[in-house]
Amino acid sequence: MIIVMERLVPEEQIKMVEKKLEEKGFNVHLSKGVERTIIGAIGERTQAIMDAIETMAGVEKVVPIVQPFKMASKEFKTNPTTVRVGDQVIGDGSIQVIAGPCAVEGWDKFLEVAQMVKSAGATMLRGGAFKPRTSPYSFQGLEEEGLKILAEARRITGLPIVSEIMDPRIIDIVASYVDVMQVGARNMQNFFLLRELGKCNKPILLKRGPSATIEEWIMAAEYIISSGNEQVIMCERGIRTFENYTRNTLDLSAVPIIKQLTHLPIIVDPSHGTGKWKLVAPMAMAAVGAGCDGLIVEVHQNPSEAMSDGPQSLTPENFRMMVDKVQKLHAAMKQE
Ligand code: PEP
Ligand code: MN
């Protein structure tokens, strides 16, 4: 439930309410605005407790949170969450463009494409070092060597690094190299992994599972936040439907829905969302039009030679054209 305090209420009254909630076994989270304090309380709510709190000095009203997600909900925290990554901020009204190949394939190739996407307007780099492949016989990634290459690319370009974490046993290793840890679609409901990521102090990019409802996806974010890490960035990457012209069906309605239901930023992956490079720029534009906070896009110097996801990878030149269009659209939307 949420306790909305009266405007400019004295600090002691806030403390009294906090104390009472803690006595009743609630976990308490304060959200202090300029004029108003809102207290989020997670625990077993009964009508009697709600009535008792509502009669306390300084309390304006007690509002039950009816949604199954609490700490991710907009009711719990009205101000949008912004996630700082290096010099960039996700969720502050800017469009962050994360770009790079599906997988880190080697030193020279990655360092080259990293500089190419930077000069085309990327604000962060992506590249998988640990790859979740459908077949155990497909390329699985360069593992820790890949992380070292990513860190070197950050040193050269100054751009922050996003890379996937699949295994809770190596969180510390991955976290020591990357700036944002990506939970891939296939691990969205790996609750043990989510809980462990909740204990670390790094932003988490949470991809939507291919068969996950929006509510299940927000509940996955709730696992991370309730374990202590509020720096969650949602990522729509397409869901499985009957349509098989595209690899997945990119559900762009998720963008305004996530904004309506939660305080979390959301980015869109039109590469995995479509599986076809020709659809990436149009869907990137649509995603920006829908109000997302950024894009994550696969780019490869030579898509036909890529070790994974070549058909959905843009060339650096096509990526540059996409970024131009996206920036113009975003600028026009800001003027509105
Ligand atoms: C990826 O970003 O390379 C990836 C594997 O994405 P997803 O988990 O969305 O399939
Ligand atoms: Mn990929």
Side-chain angles (χ1 to χ4, degrees):
M1 61 186 168
I2 284 161
I3 296 93
V4 181
M5 301 300 288
E6 285 164 1
R7 287 178 58 239
L8 306 171
V9 81
E11 192 60 35
E12 309 86 76
Q13 292 185 352
I14 299 172
K15 286 256 151 54
M16 294 289 284
V17 174
E18 261 191 286
K19 189 158 164 273
K20 179 80 156 192
L21 287 165
E22 275 161 6
E23 278 168 16
K24 298 279 180 197
F26 284 85
N27 264 328
V28 177
H29 301 264
L30 281 192
S31 168
K32 286 200 171 170
V34 186
E35 292 198 337
R36 237 182 241 286
T37 295
I38 292 175
I39 305 175
I42 303 217
E44 211 165 320
R45 150 174 68 82
T46 62
Q47 192 57 48
I49 292 172
M50 285 177 64
D51 291 345
I53 301 287
E54 203 153 41
T55 54
M56 291 182 76
V59 174
E60 187 177 297
K61 59 179 173 182
V62 176
V63 189
I65 305 181
V66 284
Q67 306 278 22
F69 42 88
K70 313 288 176 199
M71 299 181 79
S73 81
K74 185 95 163 260
E75 291 158 312
F76 195 83
K77 178 171 177 268
T78 41
N79 296 337
T81 290
T82 53
V83 178
R84 175 167 284 283
V85 186
D87 295 337
Q88 315 293 345
V89 180
I90 302 183
D92 66 348
S94 60
I95 292 286
Q96 295 296 330
V97 184
I98 306 166
C102 178
V104 178
E105 298 177 0
W107 285 91
D108 294 348
K109 270 208 250 175
F110 191 81
L111 298 181
E112 182 187 51
V113 78
Q115 290 169 89
M116 285 170 146
V117 295
K118 181 183 179 180
S119 78
T123 56
M124 295 187 209
L125 298 174
R126 64 148 290 147
F130 296 89
K131 294 303 302 174
R133 304 306 300 278
T134 302
S135 165
Y137 309 118
S138 302
F139 174 58
Q140 304 284 309
L142 296 180
E143 305 187 339
E144 194 165 357
E145 176 83 351
L147 296 174
K148 290 184 177 149
I149 299 173
L150 286 163
E152 176 64 5
R154 173 183 45 216
R155 193 188 67 74
I156 293 173
T157 61
L159 298 183
I161 300 295
V162 181
S163 199
E164 180 161 352
I165 170 86
M166 295 199 291
D167 186 338
R169 291 170 298 184
I170 55 167
I171 289 178
D172 289 346
I173 299 175
V174 177
S176 70
Y177 290 99
V178 311
D179 302 289
V180 176
M181 291 204 270
Q182 173 175 325
V183 175
R186 293 155 192 81
N187 267 316
M188 188 206 84
Q189 284 189 317
N190 182 339
F191 301 119
F192 187 75
L193 176 65
L194 300 176
R195 276 222 178 89
E196 291 301 307
L197 290 172
K199 295 181 199 154
C200 67
N201 186 24
K202 279 263 155 142
I204 309 298
L205 181 64
L206 179 63
K207 288 198 150 193
R208 179 176 179 182
S211 307
T213 63
I214 289 177
E215 189 172 293
E216 287 164 341
W217 180 26
I218 302 174
M219 290 309 282
E222 187 81 11
Y223 263 91
I224 302 172
I225 302 172
S226 63
S227 305
N229 186 354
E230 198 199 62
Q231 303 172 80
V232 177
I233 306 148
M234 305 296 270
C235 177
E236 166 61 41
R237 49 76 75 202
I239 49 174
R240 194 166 274 205
T241 68
F242 56 81
E243 180 54 68
N244 58 12
Y245 182 78
T246 44
R247 182 178 180 185
N248 291 292
T249 296
L250 189 62
D251 177 14
L252 288 181
S253 65
V255 174
I257 295 172
I258 290 295
K259 296 260 175 210
Q260 281 159 23
L261 296 180
T262 79
H263 50 84
L264 300 171
I266 172 166
I267 69 165
V268 172
D269 176 347
S271 307
H272 294 87
T274 62
K276 296 190 171 179
W277 73 266
K278 281 192 183 167
L279 301 180
V280 170
M283 296 314 283
M285 298 282 280
V288 171
C292 71
D293 299 292
L295 299 163
I296 180 163
V297 176
E298 288 184 342
V299 181
H300 196 281
Q301 293 96 318
N302 190 354
S304 62
E305 304 264 295
M307 293 171 89
S308 57
D309 287 349
Q312 67 193 35
S313 298
L314 295 180
T315 60
E317 189 44 35
N318 283 333
F319 173 67
R320 180 189 302 279
M321 289 195 282
M322 185 208 84
V323 174
D324 273 0
K325 284 195 214 155
V326 158
Q327 282 170 347
K328 285 194 186 114
L329 174 61
H330 185 237
M333 285 170 67
K334 269 183 143 173
Q335 275 175 1
E336 270 292 296

